[in-house]
Amino acid sequence: MTDTKEQLDVDDDFIAAETDDAEPVVEVAKTNLSKRRTIDNLLEERRLQKQLADYDFDL
């Protein structure tokens, strides 16, 4: 092991860019989640309508 200390270069712009982009990513995730819920609801509605159409009412 060596006891010499090296000075590291720190890039402060990288940290600033990371924090600026964090908020729009959250918005995209919320939008994608709401779109996915809408699609799931439509698929569930179609499934239920098909079950209702296939149901034999002449019991």
Side-chain angles (χ1 to χ4, degrees):
M1 282 176 125
T2 60
D3 292 332
T4 60
K5 294 182 180 179
E6 296 179 19
Q7 184 165 346
L8 300 174
D9 294 331
V10 179
D11 188 10
D12 292 332
D13 294 337
F14 179 74
I15 295 171
E18 185 179 65
T19 57
D20 291 342
D21 293 339
E23 191 171 333
V25 172
V26 172
E27 292 298 321
V28 171
K30 287 181 182 178
T31 303
N32 288 341
L33 183 59
S34 67
K35 287 179 182 179
R36 181 64 199 167
R37 286 181 179 161
T38 302
I39 292 169
D40 287 344
N41 289 340
L42 290 172
L43 291 173
E44 178 71 11
E45 184 179 346
R46 284 185 184 177
R47 184 183 65 79
L48 292 173
Q49 286 177 351
K50 184 175 181 180
Q51 285 180 350
L52 188 60
D54 291 343
Y55 185 77
D56 187 15
F57 289 105
D58 297 332
L59 292 177

